[in-house]
Structure formats: structure tokens, C-alpha cells
Amino acid sequence: MPDVPSLRTALLDWYDQNARSLPWRAPPGAEYRTDPYRVWLSEVMLQQTTVPHAAPYFERFTTRWPTVSDLAAAEDAELMAAWAGLGYYARARNLLACARAVARHHGGVFPDTEEGLRTLPGVGAYTAAAVAAIAFDRAANVVDGNVERVMSRLFAVETPLPAARPQLRAVSGQFVSDHRPGDWPQALMDLGSSVCRPRSPLCEECPLSFGCKAFRQGEPARYPIRDRKADKPHRHGHAYVIRDGEGRVALVQRPDKGLLGGMLGLPTSEWGEALGFAPPLAGPWQAAGAVDHVFTHFRLTLSVHLAEPEAVGRDWIWTDETQALAVLPTVFRKALERGLGAAG
DNA sequence: TAGGCGTGGGA
DNA sequence: TTCCCAAGCCT
């Protein structure tokens, strides 16, 4: 096994030539660091989310809220609406709580240490280390899915994830150094994204292949080894598209906790085994087909029903249909699109 | 502490 | 179609 300094040098040299240009990133070796607000915002958006999906959200957020204090002053509803479609909505609730904590308890300035950052809502071990390293150039052991994959291949770790986490964190820690501490994790993540990819890794282009045990063994894509995931259950429900004849549709405010927490939604039945149709008000109802959606831990089929009642007396939130399409999480946006399409 | 928590893209 | 996966956090 080559020594750690050789591998570090090889990867940082590669990064100098191959770093991706990203809106939240300072170029390799830059004299300046990126605004901690932008680093933090990008890291939260990128949790379990791809760069192409997050990038337009990042642009919209930083245009609308240029500083953390601007974000702290946002209304809950406008923040949640701006996050619609990005998923994992607890991130949005924590994002706002974090911005307000920074504004109120830290004078609008992000803590500049891993420990300080770790106390903020929605900032876990990974994000605290990433912001400390990238925004403040502090040596930190930044371990995300990319780093776990690269390390698991470098050392041909046979223990399956997630049990291998402590071991992968330990080997990753061997590479942490005061030399270019902000560039190191970004170099590792770029390598994981473009070369040491989950499938079909490009080992011929890899600056670390000279020291990679999985490459030497000949089957690098076998790593990281994972436990097989359980099958998702399939749930069913009904979604109601209720229109008022004036271009508005009835929405409901979902509770803050749980699935799609804090978001607006369409009125629906309970979700479970396929149920009979028991609408929330007298018809006539028009059947508009169904939409399928996949969540993290179950699959959902929603039958969509359309009505335009004469009078209703419920605490629905009547929302312009175009506006509704923009603020709803994807599962309800799909159902609303289907309902409006069936209405012609 | 293992499970809850979104979405879209690629093979 | 189906499965896997992508810069995790919280409880």
C-alpha cells in the first residue's frame, strides 16, 4: 500500500486539473473561500440529492435570499414553497431553523468550527465537517457516500455497509491534513462523482489506481458491499381535486412532522390497503385515473377524483391552480396535473 | 439504533 | 419495469 502522502498528492494534483466548476465552489487553490452561507446551503441541498437536481434550487435561493439573515427573515410558507420538489422536507424546516439560530444566536455569522456548526439544526457530522473544511479551511474528516465508496475500494473493505461506517471513517481520517484542508474533501467527492463512480468506475483515468486494492484485485465495482434492501410495500389511496370554478383548487396544510411534513397537499383518504371510494363531500365526482409515486420506504398509487361542488364549508386553502402546481410536493403535483388534465 | 424521510435519472 | 442510487439527519 502506497503511503498516504503519495495518494494525497496524486489526488490534489488531479483535482487542480479536473475540479468541477460549481456555483458554490471556489476554484482549487483559490485565495478566497466561498461564503459560508453558500457552502452550508449547498451542502444541505445536496444531502441525498444530485447536483443537477439541486443546482437550480441553489440559484433561486441565493437570488431570493442573498444572506443567511435574509433567509432567517423568510416566511415559513414561502420557504417550503421554494423547496417544493426537492424532497426530504425536514431539510427545509431545519434550514429555516438553522438560519434563524445563526441570525439570533450567532449575530448572523456561521460558527467557524466543526463543534459549533454541529449544534445547528439539520447540521450533522457530515455537513459540519464539510462546512468547516470548505468554508473555513479547517482540517476535518468529511465522510459522505463518495468518500465511503472511494475508501472501500482503496482498501477493498469486505464489511458491508452500513456496518463498515466506523472502519471507513477511520481510514478516511488518515488522509486529513492541514495542507489544503478545504480542497481535499472536494477532490475526493469529485473523484467519487466522475471517476470512482458507483457503477462502471473509470479506473484507467484514476489518479489513485496505483494504490487501489480493489483495482489490483480486478473487480472494483464490487465495492462498497451493501446489505440487500427490503422490498417496499405498496400502498393505495384517493386524492381529491376540488375546484371552485374560478381557477382555484382546495389544498390542505400537512402537519409539521412526518411524511411531507409542513407542506401543502391535496386532500386525500388514508393510505393503506386498497380502499373503497369515500369522498369528503357529495358529488358528482369524476374519476381521473391514477398516479404512481415512489417514496423512500413505500410505493403509492393515488386514484385521482375531480369535483366542482356548489358550496363547501371546509377549512381548505383555496389556491390558484398555477400557484398550486408550483408549491406542491411532487406526488401531489402529479395528482393535480392528472386531475386538471381530466377536466380538460 | 434502525427506520422514517423524496425525488429523478440511469442501467 | 424494476432496481439502485445521490454531498444525511433525526429520533
Side-chain angles (χ1 to χ4, degrees), chain A residues 239 241 243 277 283-289 304-308 338-339 341-344:
Chain A
V241 175
R243 310 172 79 197
F277 178 49
W285 287 91
Q286 176 187 347
V304 181
H305 307 273
L306 186 63
E308 196 168 303
R338 171 158 277 278

Side-chain angles (χ1 to χ4, degrees), chain A residues 128-147:
Chain A
V131 174
I134 297 169
F136 298 112
D137 220 27
R138 291 186 179 276
N141 191 11
V142 182
V143 184
D144 72 333
N146 288 301
V147 175

